[in-house]
Amino acid sequence: MNDVTRVARLIRERNRVDAALSACIRRPALAGHLGDWIAAQVFGIELEQCTTARGVDGRFADGRTVNIRWYLKRDNLLDLREDGPELYLVLTGPRAPAESSAGTTRPMVVNAVYLFDAAAVVADLRARGRKIGVASSVRGELWEAAEIYPRRNPEFPVTEEQREMLALFAG
């Protein structure tokens, strides 16, 4: 009963924190919604008003559509859609192999940010005969090429102010 009591107390505490987060972002305090909000604040993305828009979370200032993902670990898997957005902006926690989560934790941190050209990723998967959908296996080289933070990428420069904001969420 001791563990049950402790877990119940911790869940009540977490519910209080989640309520405070929800008040800030005006959506449930789930990783997906929090990632959308963080990306919008850092990169000036205008989020879709309707959270059920298929495959598109928002638009960059230049009008390009984006789907935002926040994965609490980077295991080179990416949820993709055939009829998806122009870009995927992916915030990730630490690199980790795809293995059992038993005995581990998944802190909500942002260690890196990646910006993928959706058409290029889908074309690479098709060329290799890989599936396109939930947990698509994206080659490590594509992850490296798409990294915009903390590494600097001339194709999508991240300002010092953006770097400082992202560093607030580092693990």
Side-chain angles (χ1 to χ4, degrees):
M1 192 66 164
N2 213 8
D3 285 344
V4 172
T5 302
R6 182 168 187 244
V7 168
R9 183 177 44 81
L10 290 170
I11 287 174
R12 282 193 300 277
E13 186 177 322
R14 179 180 175 158
N15 288 341
R16 283 190 295 277
V17 170
D18 284 355
L21 286 167
S22 294
C24 290
I25 69 169
R26 295 186 174 90
R27 291 186 178 167
L30 304 172
H33 292 307
L34 286 163
D36 292 352
W37 186 87
I38 292 167
Q41 301 305 304
V42 173
F43 296 106
I45 296 168
E46 183 178 333
L47 294 176
E48 292 289 324
Q49 293 303 307
C50 178
T51 60
T52 59
R54 290 184 54 99
V56 174
D57 292 318
R59 294 180 183 277
F60 280 100
D62 64 8
R64 292 182 295 172
T65 58
V66 62
N67 183 275
I68 303 161
R69 302 284 186 195
W70 188 11
Y71 297 131
L72 304 184
K73 69 174 187 171
R74 179 188 147 193
D75 55 9
N76 288 2
L77 300 177
L78 182 57
D79 293 345
L80 299 168
R81 296 179 52 91
E82 293 271 0
D83 59 345
E86 295 168 79
L87 301 167
Y88 284 92
L89 182 69
V90 184
L91 305 114
T92 70
R95 292 180 87 173
E99 59 185 24
S100 171
S101 62
T104 66
T105 62
R106 293 249 176 96
M108 298 180 94
V109 298
V110 176
N111 288 6
V113 179
Y114 304 85
L115 186 65
F116 291 95
D117 176 284
V121 173
V122 168
D124 182 76
L125 289 167
R126 278 196 186 116
R128 295 184 303 118
R130 303 291 182 162
K131 77 175 189 88
I132 297 162
V134 175
S136 296
S137 180
V138 176
R139 291 184 303 123
E141 299 85 39
L142 294 180
W143 282 90
E144 300 308 318
E147 186 176 329
I148 62 171
Y149 172 84
R151 187 179 309 147
R152 296 180 189 276
N153 188 325
E155 291 185 36
F156 192 90
V158 175
T159 68
E160 285 307 312
E161 181 182 13
Q162 290 168 323
R163 290 177 173 286
E164 290 170 8
M165 284 191 276
L166 290 167
L168 296 171
F169 300 97

